[in-house]
Amino acid sequence: MNDVRRRTVLAAAGGAAIAGKAATARAQAPPAPTSDAPRPGPESGPYETRIRALMARMTIDEKLGQLQQFAWTGDTGPGGGQTAAAEKAARRGRLGSVLNIYGARTTNTLQRMAVEKSRLGIPLIFGLDVIHGMWTTFPIPLGQAAAFDPAVAVWDAEVSAREARSNGVHWAFSPMMDVTHEPRWGRIAEGDGEDPYLAATLAAAKTRGYQGDDLRSRHRLAACAKHMIAYGGVEGGRDYNTVDVSEARLRNFYLPPFKAALDAGVATVMASFNTVSGVPAHGYRHALTEILKEEWAFRGFVVSDYNGVQEMIVHGYAANRSDAARLAFNAGIDMEMASTTINEYGKRLLRGGQITTDRLDDAVARILRLKFRLGLFEHPYADEDTAIAGPTKASRAAARAAAGRTMVLLKNEKSTLPLDRSGSIAVVGPFADSTDLRGSWAGTWADAFRPVTVLDAVKDAAPKASVSHVEGVDASGRNTRGIARAASAARATDVTVVVVGEAATLSGEAAVRSDLGLPGRQERLITAIADTGAPFVVVLLSGRPLTMGGWLDRTPAVLQAWHPGIEGGNAIADVLFGTVN
């Protein structure tokens, strides 16, 4: 997701063009269902009797409220963004979920409004972008995939779940399993790469790591399989773009990871921003209902992406907000994130027969089912006395071990690695002493915890060595005034570690690159070090596979380290000095 960042794409299209396209799209859109919506199955589950009894007491407004998720914006203070709306709706019992909220005291305050002030006392679900760690950031998912080890994904998910659940979070918007061949696409950092089998294996592992055997556990989170569907096939690697895909490719390439996550018990699914053969995924009933809920008998709920329902207007598929609500809800969206079209227009659509009460009850039952599974009706509040406030020794050890597993040794000639722990070492490059190691989905909540830099880790790993540092060139590759000093440092030392790559902001959502080489003139730093004839190793930090120019032939050793997380520096040093093979 971002599924939390505001999207400039909303302003990308003119109204007149949209209106013309919408008329054509509506003619091709599937009609509102005339039969009952997909039923969640016979009332044989442990909570079905309680769900039906509760729904019998709910008004239409309260049911529609369960379908609404607001975005908390605590960083701007009370009342900022949708915070005030969330508080008001919680008190009225007309809200199902809030995202971007965390902290035991903060979540408890809002939860009390829902549980103790509303008529029926239905608790809220709190969701957060816990993608590759909360306080303790692990390597980016693409790096985890490079380990070819499901245990790495499990370590991440279990630590993340423990930290987040203790802080009042119930739901992680992860794992992302968008298979892609497109390294220009920024969100390749958040997925598992190009192989459906690998993505399926890791999706199942991470789902089990988050959820465990019992979602009522105070150490577990509900997982969310995203994004459905074919998001990784966007044309030109352009985020939110169109995807033209056959049914065979859909089923053989894009769907297998989702089926694996469902088989592992994933609680929720998120729709994607792209269009699929001309239909926005938020309105693509074939995937969200016919395959997911009917063919696969999925009993969880489908959440939209941030403003994804409303953005069907921008796609030219929906004529207006009411039309967007109708199309998304009938396609299979059960909960709407941030935008409010279903909540606002649901009663009108019911009166007009454009959506059915059966479909509404189906969506509400799915959401209530997860709240019961999470144990929120019995234990709605987080324990403020036991909330985890930051990384622990154990969580850091897990993150370090995981990062060590993700490293890819691309080249090692002339026995350059492992490095000697004595003598003299120069650590140069834009990321040599940088804390920009956490990756594109480390949230602002983790900013208080400084990652271990490569320079500090090298000093710690080789306490008897003489370690020097020169930046050489900045991360953008524009300021090259330090290259000569870096070359001098290389000549004066036994070995040089050159740490280059791309900043975390260059990958992730809406971070498309057309040039996949090292940014700016970073390559000049490598060639300058190579010109000295002294031994050196290049460490690459990135959120995607990068192209390598002529410098590769001149470099004796290359280590791909991705964005390795809070213990990234230590993990890199572990590999450089041979602690990790």
Side-chain angles (χ1 to χ4, degrees), residues 19-57:
K21 294 178 182 178
T24 301
R26 286 198 307 279
Q28 300 171 345
T34 56
S35 59
D36 287 354
R39 306 301 295 175
E43 296 186 6
S44 58
Y47 309 112
E48 298 307 313
T49 300
R50 297 174 66 183
I51 290 171
R52 298 302 169 186
L54 181 56
M55 288 175 58
R57 299 174 58 198

Short mmCIF file of all heavy atoms in Angstrom, two decimals, residues 19-57:
data_model
loop_
_atom_site.label_atom_id
_atom_site.label_comp_id
_atom_site.label_asym_id
_atom_site.label_seq_id
_atom_site.Cartn_x
_atom_site.Cartn_y
_atom_site.Cartn_z
N ALA A 19 -15.31 12.01 -18.09
CA ALA A 19 -16.73 11.77 -18.26
C ALA A 19 -17.01 10.93 -19.50
O ALA A 19 -17.84 10.01 -19.48
CB ALA A 19 -17.47 13.10 -18.36
N GLY A 20 -16.29 11.22 -20.60
CA GLY A 20 -16.50 10.45 -21.81
C GLY A 20 -16.08 9.00 -21.65
O GLY A 20 -16.77 8.09 -22.07
N LYS A 21 -14.93 8.79 -20.99
CA LYS A 21 -14.45 7.43 -20.78
C LYS A 21 -15.37 6.67 -19.83
O LYS A 21 -15.58 5.47 -19.97
CB LYS A 21 -13.02 7.45 -20.22
CG LYS A 21 -11.98 7.99 -21.19
CD LYS A 21 -10.62 8.02 -20.54
CE LYS A 21 -9.56 8.60 -21.47
NZ LYS A 21 -8.26 8.68 -20.83
N ALA A 22 -15.90 7.38 -18.83
CA ALA A 22 -16.73 6.71 -17.84
C ALA A 22 -17.99 6.16 -18.47
O ALA A 22 -18.46 5.09 -18.12
CB ALA A 22 -17.08 7.68 -16.71
N ALA A 23 -18.54 6.89 -19.41
CA ALA A 23 -19.76 6.42 -20.06
C ALA A 23 -19.51 5.11 -20.80
O ALA A 23 -20.32 4.18 -20.75
CB ALA A 23 -20.28 7.48 -21.02
N THR A 24 -18.36 5.03 -21.47
CA THR A 24 -18.01 3.79 -22.17
C THR A 24 -17.75 2.66 -21.19
O THR A 24 -18.18 1.53 -21.37
CB THR A 24 -16.76 4.02 -23.04
OG1 THR A 24 -17.04 5.07 -23.97
CG2 THR A 24 -16.38 2.75 -23.78
N ALA A 25 -17.03 2.99 -20.10
CA ALA A 25 -16.68 1.96 -19.13
C ALA A 25 -17.92 1.39 -18.46
O ALA A 25 -18.02 0.19 -18.22
CB ALA A 25 -15.74 2.55 -18.07
N ARG A 26 -18.91 2.26 -18.16
CA ARG A 26 -20.12 1.77 -17.48
C ARG A 26 -20.87 0.80 -18.36
O ARG A 26 -21.50 -0.14 -17.87
CB ARG A 26 -21.01 2.95 -17.09
CG ARG A 26 -20.49 3.74 -15.92
CD ARG A 26 -21.60 4.58 -15.32
NE ARG A 26 -22.27 5.42 -16.30
CZ ARG A 26 -21.81 6.57 -16.73
NH1 ARG A 26 -20.67 7.04 -16.26
NH2 ARG A 26 -22.49 7.28 -17.61
N ALA A 27 -20.82 1.03 -19.68
CA ALA A 27 -21.52 0.12 -20.58
C ALA A 27 -20.89 -1.26 -20.56
O ALA A 27 -21.56 -2.27 -20.81
CB ALA A 27 -21.50 0.68 -22.00
N GLN A 28 -19.58 -1.31 -20.24
CA GLN A 28 -18.89 -2.59 -20.22
C GLN A 28 -18.84 -3.20 -18.83
O GLN A 28 -18.45 -4.34 -18.66
CB GLN A 28 -17.45 -2.40 -20.72
CG GLN A 28 -17.38 -1.86 -22.14
CD GLN A 28 -15.97 -1.47 -22.51
OE1 GLN A 28 -15.11 -1.34 -21.66
NE2 GLN A 28 -15.73 -1.27 -23.79
N ALA A 29 -19.23 -2.44 -17.79
CA ALA A 29 -19.11 -2.90 -16.42
C ALA A 29 -20.12 -3.99 -16.12
O ALA A 29 -21.22 -4.00 -16.67
CB ALA A 29 -19.32 -1.72 -15.46
N PRO A 30 -19.78 -4.92 -15.24
CA PRO A 30 -20.74 -5.95 -14.85
C PRO A 30 -21.91 -5.34 -14.10
O PRO A 30 -21.72 -4.38 -13.35
CB PRO A 30 -19.90 -6.87 -13.95
CG PRO A 30 -18.80 -6.02 -13.43
CD PRO A 30 -18.49 -5.05 -14.54
N PRO A 31 -23.11 -5.85 -14.29
CA PRO A 31 -24.26 -5.31 -13.59
C PRO A 31 -24.21 -5.65 -12.11
O PRO A 31 -23.46 -6.53 -11.68
CB PRO A 31 -25.44 -6.01 -14.27
CG PRO A 31 -24.86 -7.32 -14.73
CD PRO A 31 -23.44 -7.00 -15.14
N ALA A 32 -25.03 -4.95 -11.33
CA ALA A 32 -25.15 -5.30 -9.92
C ALA A 32 -25.69 -6.72 -9.81
O ALA A 32 -26.54 -7.13 -10.60
CB ALA A 32 -26.09 -4.32 -9.21
N PRO A 33 -25.20 -7.50 -8.87
CA PRO A 33 -25.64 -8.89 -8.76
C PRO A 33 -27.12 -8.96 -8.42
O PRO A 33 -27.63 -8.20 -7.60
CB PRO A 33 -24.78 -9.44 -7.62
CG PRO A 33 -24.33 -8.24 -6.84
CD PRO A 33 -24.22 -7.13 -7.83
N THR A 34 -27.83 -9.87 -9.08
CA THR A 34 -29.25 -10.04 -8.82
C THR A 34 -29.50 -11.16 -7.82
O THR A 34 -30.57 -11.27 -7.26
CB THR A 34 -29.99 -10.35 -10.12
OG1 THR A 34 -29.39 -11.50 -10.72
CG2 THR A 34 -29.89 -9.18 -11.08
N SER A 35 -28.51 -12.03 -7.62
CA SER A 35 -28.65 -13.10 -6.64
C SER A 35 -27.88 -12.73 -5.38
O SER A 35 -27.23 -11.69 -5.32
CB SER A 35 -28.11 -14.40 -7.22
OG SER A 35 -26.75 -14.25 -7.57
N ASP A 36 -27.97 -13.56 -4.39
CA ASP A 36 -27.27 -13.30 -3.13
C ASP A 36 -25.78 -13.17 -3.36
O ASP A 36 -25.20 -13.83 -4.22
CB ASP A 36 -27.54 -14.41 -2.14
CG ASP A 36 -28.96 -14.36 -1.59
OD1 ASP A 36 -29.68 -13.39 -1.90
OD2 ASP A 36 -29.31 -15.29 -0.87
N ALA A 37 -25.14 -12.33 -2.55
CA ALA A 37 -23.69 -12.21 -2.58
C ALA A 37 -23.06 -13.50 -2.11
O ALA A 37 -23.73 -14.32 -1.48
CB ALA A 37 -23.26 -11.04 -1.68
N PRO A 38 -21.77 -13.70 -2.39
CA PRO A 38 -21.12 -14.92 -1.91
C PRO A 38 -21.27 -15.04 -0.40
O PRO A 38 -20.91 -14.14 0.34
CB PRO A 38 -19.65 -14.72 -2.31
CG PRO A 38 -19.67 -13.68 -3.36
CD PRO A 38 -20.87 -12.83 -3.11
N ARG A 39 -21.83 -16.13 0.04
CA ARG A 39 -22.03 -16.31 1.47
C ARG A 39 -20.74 -16.79 2.13
O ARG A 39 -19.95 -17.50 1.52
CB ARG A 39 -23.14 -17.34 1.72
CG ARG A 39 -24.44 -17.00 1.02
CD ARG A 39 -24.99 -15.66 1.45
NE ARG A 39 -25.37 -15.69 2.86
CZ ARG A 39 -25.80 -14.62 3.52
NH1 ARG A 39 -25.87 -13.46 2.92
NH2 ARG A 39 -26.14 -14.72 4.78
N PRO A 40 -20.52 -16.42 3.37
CA PRO A 40 -19.30 -16.86 4.04
C PRO A 40 -19.32 -18.31 4.45
O PRO A 40 -18.43 -18.77 5.14
CB PRO A 40 -19.26 -15.95 5.28
CG PRO A 40 -20.68 -15.57 5.54
CD PRO A 40 -21.32 -15.49 4.18
N GLY A 41 -20.32 -19.07 4.00
CA GLY A 41 -20.35 -20.49 4.32
C GLY A 41 -21.38 -20.77 5.40
O GLY A 41 -21.99 -19.87 5.97
N PRO A 42 -21.62 -22.01 5.72
CA PRO A 42 -22.57 -22.36 6.75
C PRO A 42 -22.14 -21.83 8.11
O PRO A 42 -20.94 -21.65 8.37
CB PRO A 42 -22.58 -23.90 6.72
CG PRO A 42 -21.27 -24.27 6.11
CD PRO A 42 -20.96 -23.19 5.13
N GLU A 43 -23.09 -21.58 8.97
CA GLU A 43 -22.80 -21.01 10.28
C GLU A 43 -22.24 -22.09 11.20
O GLU A 43 -22.85 -22.50 12.18
CB GLU A 43 -24.06 -20.38 10.87
CG GLU A 43 -24.56 -19.20 10.04
CD GLU A 43 -25.73 -18.50 10.70
OE1 GLU A 43 -26.08 -18.86 11.84
OE2 GLU A 43 -26.28 -17.59 10.08
N SER A 44 -21.04 -22.54 10.85
CA SER A 44 -20.42 -23.61 11.59
C SER A 44 -19.14 -23.16 12.29
O SER A 44 -18.56 -23.91 13.06
CB SER A 44 -20.08 -24.78 10.65
OG SER A 44 -19.22 -24.34 9.60
N GLY A 45 -18.70 -21.93 12.00
CA GLY A 45 -17.50 -21.43 12.63
C GLY A 45 -17.76 -21.09 14.09
O GLY A 45 -18.91 -20.99 14.54
N PRO A 46 -16.67 -20.86 14.85
CA PRO A 46 -16.84 -20.62 16.29
C PRO A 46 -17.54 -19.31 16.64
O PRO A 46 -18.02 -19.17 17.76
CB PRO A 46 -15.39 -20.63 16.81
CG PRO A 46 -14.56 -20.28 15.61
CD PRO A 46 -15.28 -20.88 14.44
N TYR A 47 -17.59 -18.36 15.70
CA TYR A 47 -18.16 -17.06 16.02
C TYR A 47 -19.42 -16.74 15.24
O TYR A 47 -19.98 -15.65 15.39
CB TYR A 47 -17.12 -15.96 15.76
CG TYR A 47 -15.79 -16.23 16.41
CD1 TYR A 47 -14.66 -16.51 15.64
CD2 TYR A 47 -15.66 -16.23 17.79
CE1 TYR A 47 -13.43 -16.77 16.24
CE2 TYR A 47 -14.43 -16.48 18.40
CZ TYR A 47 -13.32 -16.76 17.62
OH TYR A 47 -12.12 -17.01 18.22
N GLU A 48 -19.88 -17.62 14.38
CA GLU A 48 -20.96 -17.28 13.45
C GLU A 48 -22.26 -16.94 14.17
O GLU A 48 -22.97 -16.01 13.77
CB GLU A 48 -21.17 -18.41 12.46
CG GLU A 48 -19.97 -18.71 11.57
CD GLU A 48 -19.43 -17.47 10.86
OE1 GLU A 48 -20.23 -16.71 10.29
OE2 GLU A 48 -18.20 -17.27 10.86
N THR A 49 -22.59 -17.64 15.22
CA THR A 49 -23.83 -17.34 15.95
C THR A 49 -23.77 -15.95 16.57
O THR A 49 -24.74 -15.18 16.50
CB THR A 49 -24.09 -18.40 17.03
OG1 THR A 49 -24.20 -19.68 16.41
CG2 THR A 49 -25.37 -18.10 17.80
N ARG A 50 -22.63 -15.61 17.14
CA ARG A 50 -22.46 -14.28 17.75
C ARG A 50 -22.47 -13.19 16.67
O ARG A 50 -23.00 -12.10 16.89
CB ARG A 50 -21.16 -14.23 18.54
CG ARG A 50 -21.14 -15.19 19.73
CD ARG A 50 -19.78 -15.21 20.41
NE ARG A 50 -19.48 -13.93 21.05
CZ ARG A 50 -18.31 -13.67 21.66
NH1 ARG A 50 -17.35 -14.61 21.68
NH2 ARG A 50 -18.09 -12.50 22.22
N ILE A 51 -21.87 -13.49 15.52
CA ILE A 51 -21.87 -12.51 14.43
C ILE A 51 -23.29 -12.21 13.98
O ILE A 51 -23.69 -11.04 13.83
CB ILE A 51 -21.01 -13.02 13.26
CG1 ILE A 51 -19.52 -13.01 13.64
CG2 ILE A 51 -21.24 -12.17 12.01
CD1 ILE A 51 -18.62 -13.70 12.64
N ARG A 52 -24.08 -13.25 13.74
CA ARG A 52 -25.45 -13.05 13.27
C ARG A 52 -26.30 -12.34 14.32
O ARG A 52 -27.13 -11.49 13.98
CB ARG A 52 -26.08 -14.41 12.91
CG ARG A 52 -25.36 -15.14 11.78
CD ARG A 52 -25.30 -14.34 10.51
NE ARG A 52 -24.40 -14.94 9.54
CZ ARG A 52 -24.06 -14.38 8.39
NH1 ARG A 52 -24.54 -13.21 8.06
NH2 ARG A 52 -23.24 -15.00 7.56
N ALA A 53 -26.09 -12.67 15.59
CA ALA A 53 -26.85 -12.01 16.66
C ALA A 53 -26.50 -10.52 16.72
O ALA A 53 -27.38 -9.66 16.89
CB ALA A 53 -26.58 -12.68 17.99
N LEU A 54 -25.23 -10.21 16.58
CA LEU A 54 -24.81 -8.80 16.61
C LEU A 54 -25.34 -8.05 15.40
O LEU A 54 -25.85 -6.92 15.52
CB LEU A 54 -23.28 -8.72 16.68
CG LEU A 54 -22.66 -7.32 16.73
CD1 LEU A 54 -23.20 -6.52 17.90
CD2 LEU A 54 -21.13 -7.43 16.81
N MET A 55 -25.26 -8.66 14.23
CA MET A 55 -25.74 -8.00 13.02
C MET A 55 -27.25 -7.74 13.07
O MET A 55 -27.74 -6.75 12.51
CB MET A 55 -25.38 -8.83 11.79
CG MET A 55 -23.90 -8.82 11.46
SD MET A 55 -23.46 -9.92 10.09
CE MET A 55 -24.48 -9.28 8.78
N ALA A 56 -27.98 -8.61 13.75
CA ALA A 56 -29.43 -8.42 13.87
C ALA A 56 -29.76 -7.16 14.65
O ALA A 56 -30.87 -6.61 14.51
CB ALA A 56 -30.06 -9.63 14.53
N ARG A 57 -28.84 -6.70 15.46
CA ARG A 57 -29.07 -5.49 16.27
C ARG A 57 -28.57 -4.23 15.57
O ARG A 57 -28.84 -3.12 16.04
CB ARG A 57 -28.35 -5.63 17.61
CG ARG A 57 -28.82 -6.82 18.45
CD ARG A 57 -27.94 -6.97 19.68
NE ARG A 57 -27.95 -5.76 20.49
CZ ARG A 57 -27.03 -5.47 21.42
NH1 ARG A 57 -25.99 -6.30 21.60
NH2 ARG A 57 -27.10 -4.37 22.13
#
